């Protein structure tokens, strides 16, 4: 019975998150109430509060459900045991581009995060989460680039931190522009070309 109750709670939590995606996308985050999400999910407002402290907590859980697997690969770029950190950086950012195109849930969540959030005091935790995510990705890519330089796989005149920030900005810009007009270009193909050109521009080590 206890296991069934836990499974039921997890299913309820997932349904609330599913409905949060839909309602945030339809109305915008600030204009969507927890009561509206509860109604859409077929639960009470108390059930929403049982799982989530507030709207920002709910929003961040919705984001984490999609982005944590992708971010985990990017964060691996800073691991000390990697033989080829540049390949890890490249592959992890390409995975994010492919998920944006091929995973409908990821695409919905990215659209909410990019275009449906009005940052204010009530959603301060949302902004903090975004900033933390950017900082963590940049820091780990920076560590990966430094390790690549030590291994002789990269010889760049650009400081590692600046290069890491450039990579993050490049991919974020590609995703944002593609989300505005998906017909404008092939995100994966153009993204791969842009990422490879950027990495070549960091002057890979020669003989």
């Amino acid at each position: 019975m206890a296991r069934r109750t836990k499974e039921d709670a997890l299913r309820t939590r997932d349904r609330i998150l599913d409905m949060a995606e839909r309602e945030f996308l339809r109305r915008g985050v600030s204009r969507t109430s927890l009561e509206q999400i509860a109604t859409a999910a077929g639960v009470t407002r108390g059930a929403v509060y049982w799982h989530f402290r507030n709207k920002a907590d709910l929003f961040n859980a919705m984001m984490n459900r999609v982005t944590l697997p992708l971010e985990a690969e990017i964060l691996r770029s800073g691991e000390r045991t990697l033989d080829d950190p540049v390949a890890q950086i490249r592959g992890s950012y390409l995975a994010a581009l492919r998920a944006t195109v091929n995973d409908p849930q990821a695409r919905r969540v990215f659209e909410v995060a990019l275009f449906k959030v009005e940052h204010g005091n009530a959603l301060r935790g949302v902004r903090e989460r975004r900033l933390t995510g950017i900082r963590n990705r940049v820091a780990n890519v920076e560590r990966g680039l430094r390790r690549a330089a030590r291994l002789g796989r990269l010889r760049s005149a650009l400081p590692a931190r600046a290069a890491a920030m450039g990579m993050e900005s490049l991919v974020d810009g590609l995703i944002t522009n593609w989300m505005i007009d998906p017909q404008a270009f092939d995100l994966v193909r153009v993204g791969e070309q842009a990422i490879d050109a950027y990495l070549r521009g960091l002057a890979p080590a020669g003989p």
Side-chain angles (χ1 to χ4, degrees):
M1 180 64 71
R3 184 172 61 184
R4 185 179 305 162
T5 300
K6 183 176 180 180
E7 290 172 353
D8 288 345
L10 289 174
R11 280 194 293 269
T12 298
R13 185 179 188 274
D14 281 340
R15 179 158 179 77
I16 292 169
L17 291 172
D18 290 342
M19 293 303 104
E21 285 180 16
R22 189 186 77 176
E23 297 302 310
F24 286 157
L25 187 61
R26 186 156 69 98
R27 292 188 174 91
V29 177
S30 67
R31 292 187 294 274
T32 300
S33 69
L34 294 181
E35 185 172 354
Q36 287 168 328
I37 293 171
T39 299
V43 301
T44 65
R45 191 178 179 199
V48 175
Y49 277 112
W50 193 84
H51 289 281
F52 308 101
R53 294 188 303 275
N54 49 43
K55 191 193 293 187
D57 188 38
L58 171 57
F59 178 92
N60 288 338
M62 179 195 75
M63 291 296 301
N64 288 341
R65 189 167 64 157
V66 168
T67 61
L68 278 180
L70 295 173
E71 290 201 351
E73 287 304 303
I74 296 174
L75 297 184
R76 283 195 63 231
S77 302
E79 291 183 359
R80 297 178 180 178
T81 57
L82 286 176
D83 292 328
D84 192 348
V86 175
Q88 177 65 30
I89 292 166
R90 179 185 185 274
S92 59
Y93 276 112
L94 283 176
L97 297 181
R98 293 190 185 99
T100 303
V101 174
N102 299 321
D103 184 338
Q105 184 181 43
R107 188 167 168 179
R108 282 194 305 273
V109 167
F110 292 167
E111 184 172 351
V112 170
L114 289 171
F115 307 122
K116 301 291 184 175
V117 178
E118 305 83 3
H119 294 292
N121 288 334
L123 295 175
R124 185 169 54 188
V126 170
R127 181 176 182 275
E128 290 172 353
R129 179 203 175 278
R130 180 171 175 81
L131 289 174
T132 298
I134 292 171
R135 289 167 182 156
N136 287 341
R137 290 192 298 273
V138 168
N140 279 277
V141 171
E142 177 185 358
R143 281 194 285 270
L145 293 175
R146 290 185 186 279
R147 177 169 172 77
R150 289 195 299 272
L151 293 172
R153 292 184 175 274
L154 202 66
R155 186 174 60 240
S156 175
L158 189 64
R161 180 162 184 79
M165 292 177 68
M167 175 63 80
E168 174 71 16
S169 299
L170 170 64
V171 175
D172 183 75
L174 285 165
I175 291 174
T176 300
N177 284 303
W178 184 83
M179 293 289 290
I180 292 172
D181 184 6
Q183 304 305 315
F185 62 97
D186 183 321
L187 178 61
V188 175
R189 181 175 61 82
V190 172
E192 184 172 16
Q193 292 170 345
I195 289 171
D196 286 345
Y198 184 84
L199 291 173
R200 285 195 301 270
L202 295 180

